[in-house]
Amino acid sequence: MKIKGIIFDCDGTLADTMPLHWQAWQVIAERHRFHFPEDRFYSLGGVPSRDILKMLQTRTASLDQSLRGRAGKEEAYLPFLPQVKPIEVVVEVAREQHGKIPLAVASGGNKPIIEMVLTHLGIRELFNAVVTSEDVTQQKPAPDIFLEAARRIGVPPKYCRAYEDTDLGMDAIRAAGMEAIDVRELLATAK
């Protein structure tokens, strides 16, 4: 089947941000005196910060009302933004396909941060649409974010290929009926 549109996750797929998000979560954990293990953080790849905060608040009484929104975590992340590097093997796919077929980003991150990351990397102009956690009700592993990205670029899901770096994201792509490319496998073969 001919691919007519490509959709990319951002964090961990286009941009090497996951270690930086981990550092931001550690700032929040230290500030509010709670334990958030690294393996737990990585298992939640693709889950919006607001949903992670809800999970943490149900288990951690020390999280105060100021963390009800994700502003605290996102503010903790901003100082790390200049350190964001591209994941070249994936960014190269976007560059090669730019102008040939429509491209979109489908990220569980928040729109201002994702826009800043794409701009910082100098790749924002490659994408016809950027869909983030604010644009859909159900998050990964639900297919909604990928379906919305396909809708915005005007390509039926069955003609889309999507790139992801997490199990939740891979489940979401498959549930959307798209061809799924696991970035972790691309990175393993690129080494």
Side-chain angles (χ1 to χ4, degrees), residues 105-185:
V105 171
S107 172
N110 90 349
K111 193 170 292 292
I113 297 290
I114 296 303
E115 290 283 355
M116 283 187 246
V117 166
L118 296 172
T119 300
H120 167 75
L121 294 176
I123 61 173
R124 174 57 185 93
E125 71 282 353
L126 301 178
F127 303 101
N128 305 85
V130 175
V131 181
T132 60
S133 63
E134 296 94 338
D135 297 315
V136 295
T137 305
Q138 294 187 72
Q139 306 300 324
K140 300 171 188 177
D144 301 33
I145 202 159
F146 288 100
L147 293 172
E148 179 62 16
R151 186 190 71 75
R152 289 190 187 184
I153 61 173
V155 178
K158 69 181 180 178
Y159 297 111
C160 289
R161 174 181 296 143
Y163 289 76
E164 235 317 332
D165 69 307
T166 66
D167 292 339
L168 290 176
M170 294 297 290
D171 290 345
I173 293 167
R174 290 184 188 109
M178 299 176 182
E179 179 184 325
I181 304 295
D182 191 329
V183 171
R184 297 168 293 191
E185 292 174 11

Side-chain angles (χ1 to χ4, degrees), residues 5-158:
I6 302 178
I7 302 169
F8 300 87
D9 172 50
C10 185
D11 293 314
T13 299
L14 288 165
D16 189 8
T17 55
M18 295 306 284
L20 303 175
H21 281 291
W22 165 244
Q23 290 177 37
W25 274 112
Q26 289 310 289
V27 168
I28 296 299
E30 186 175 313
R31 183 182 303 154
H32 294 276
R33 297 184 183 100
F34 67 89
H35 179 65
F36 188 23
E38 188 171 9
D39 61 333
R40 178 74 175 134
F41 163 74
Y42 280 101
S43 76
L44 295 170
V47 176
S49 295
R50 68 171 180 254
D51 296 346
I52 293 173
L53 285 168
K54 285 178 194 172
M55 285 184 249
L56 292 171
Q57 285 174 323
T58 61
R59 290 191 258 151
T60 308
S62 64
L63 283 177
D64 63 24
Q65 298 290 13
S66 69
L67 274 177
R68 288 233 175 226
R70 47 190 160 184
K73 188 272 174 175
E74 302 307 340
E75 287 171 14
Y77 175 74
L78 286 175
F80 298 106
L81 190 63
Q83 299 174 45
V84 173
K85 303 277 188 253
I87 296 180
E88 291 294 347
V89 67
V90 181
V91 169
E92 189 56 35
V93 171
R95 285 192 175 115
E96 287 173 2
Q97 295 302 316
H98 175 65
K100 297 176 183 173
I101 59 176
L103 306 177
V105 171
S107 172
N110 90 349
K111 193 170 292 292
I113 297 290
I114 296 303
E115 290 283 355
M116 283 187 246
V117 166
L118 296 172
T119 300
H120 167 75
L121 294 176
I123 61 173
R124 174 57 185 93
E125 71 282 353
L126 301 178
F127 303 101
N128 305 85
V130 175
V131 181
T132 60
S133 63
E134 296 94 338
D135 297 315
V136 295
T137 305
Q138 294 187 72
Q139 306 300 324
K140 300 171 188 177
D144 301 33
I145 202 159
F146 288 100
L147 293 172
E148 179 62 16
R151 186 190 71 75
R152 289 190 187 184
I153 61 173
V155 178
K158 69 181 180 178

